[in-house]
Amino acid sequence: DAKTTQPPSMDCAEGRAANLPCNHSTISGNEYVYWYRQIHSQGPQYIIHGLKNNETNEMASLIITEDRKSSTLILPHATLRDTAVYYCIVRPLYNFNKFYFGSGTKLNVKP
Amino acid sequence: DTAVSQTPKYLVTQMGNDKSIKCEQNLGHDTMYWYKQDSKKFLKIMFSYNNKELIINETVPNRFSPKSPDKAHLNLHINSLELGDSAVYFCASSQVSGGSYNEQFFGPGTRLTVL
């Protein structure tokens, strides 16, 4: 049921920016894009979300393409503690509880 | 000051047994959830309770029964455990009413192993 496509894994050097792509070509106009991550089988952790504008918070930036069919999560200065599985999720606006986590991207941050 | 807590953290049991997992949140949220993460790491929603009412039941076998005594607690009871029930079960909570987004806070998980 996941409506997103992500690469299974990516590597990033410590201190460099990590850019994680997500394809959501069937996204509807009122659906939000959410990003969560899961560090070593801990509970998933919310990172950021957006509708159509780019968003930034203390953890990351979210860049959504103009046609909204894809997005990129940017961790500006990756650290070893950012090694995790990152999930891109599309959520219907009026169905607050339909969160489907796909397979995600395993980000490996290397020294 | 744990936001979402689950007990137990690990649960090992025999096939056919009945077991319960407890979840508590101290965030004042109005919605709580149960997720199952299988061996392939896919995370699937099982149940959601909003103000003590069930609002999602995602084709989960009726051996699984969520029980919410109050807004801060959502327990998961499993009857007649099967090998395929082995997984990590996550509880989560969020505030749904009054906001346009739904940031979910997850518990640490309960690893269930059925022998």
Side-chain angles (χ1 to χ4, degrees), chain A residues 34 36 38 44 96-98, chain B residues 33 37 55-56 58 102 104:
Chain A
Y34 287 77
Y36 280 73
Q38 189 172 23
F96 296 107
N97 302 295
K98 289 283 189 180
Chain B
Y33 313 80
Q37 187 169 42
I55 55 177
I56 286 180
E58 294 287 327
N102 190 15
Q104 296 190 341

Side-chain angles (χ1 to χ4, degrees), chain B residues 2-4 24-32 51 71-73 93-97 105:
Chain B
T2 303
V4 182
E24 177 180 1
Q25 55 96 1
N26 62 6
L27 298 166
H29 288 160
D30 62 1
T31 305
M32 296 183 70
N51 286 322
K71 280 174 56 174
H73 297 85
S93 74
S94 69
Q95 183 66 24
V96 173
S97 61
F105 291 82

Side-chain angles (χ1 to χ4, degrees), chain A residues 7-11 20 38 40 83-86 103-108:
Chain A
S9 66
M10 293 182 63
D11 291 337
L20 292 95
Q38 189 172 23
H40 191 54
T83 293
V85 178
Y86 287 76
S103 53
T105 296
K106 175 65 188 302
L107 176 67
N108 299 299

Side-chain angles (χ1 to χ4, degrees), chain A residues 1-72:
Chain A
D1 291 285
K3 298 168 61 175
T4 62
T5 303
Q6 300 176 251
S9 66
M10 293 182 63
D11 291 337
C12 178
E14 189 177 20
R16 304 297 294 268
N19 298 286
L20 292 95
C22 179
N23 183 293
H24 32 80
S25 58
T26 61
I27 191 170
S28 299
N30 60 359
E31 289 181 322
Y32 287 76
V33 180
Y34 287 77
W35 284 83
Y36 280 73
R37 72 180 182 183
Q38 189 172 23
I39 297 174
H40 191 54
S41 296
Q42 297 177 18
Q45 177 190 23
Y46 166 83
I47 301 173
I48 200 167
H49 75 284
L51 181 62
K52 58 176 86 171
N53 298 321
N54 297 337
E55 303 287 345
T56 296
N57 63 18
E58 65 277 5
M59 289 182 68
S61 295
L62 174 60
I63 309 297
I64 302 174
T65 58
E66 192 168 344
D67 63 7
R68 300 187 71 240
K69 292 186 177 182
S70 66
S71 61
T72 301

Side-chain angles (χ1 to χ4, degrees), chain B residues 71-82:
Chain B
K71 280 174 56 174
H73 297 85
L74 181 64
N75 303 324
L76 183 64
H77 189 75
I78 315 171
N79 290 326
S80 303
L81 278 156
E82 300 177 357

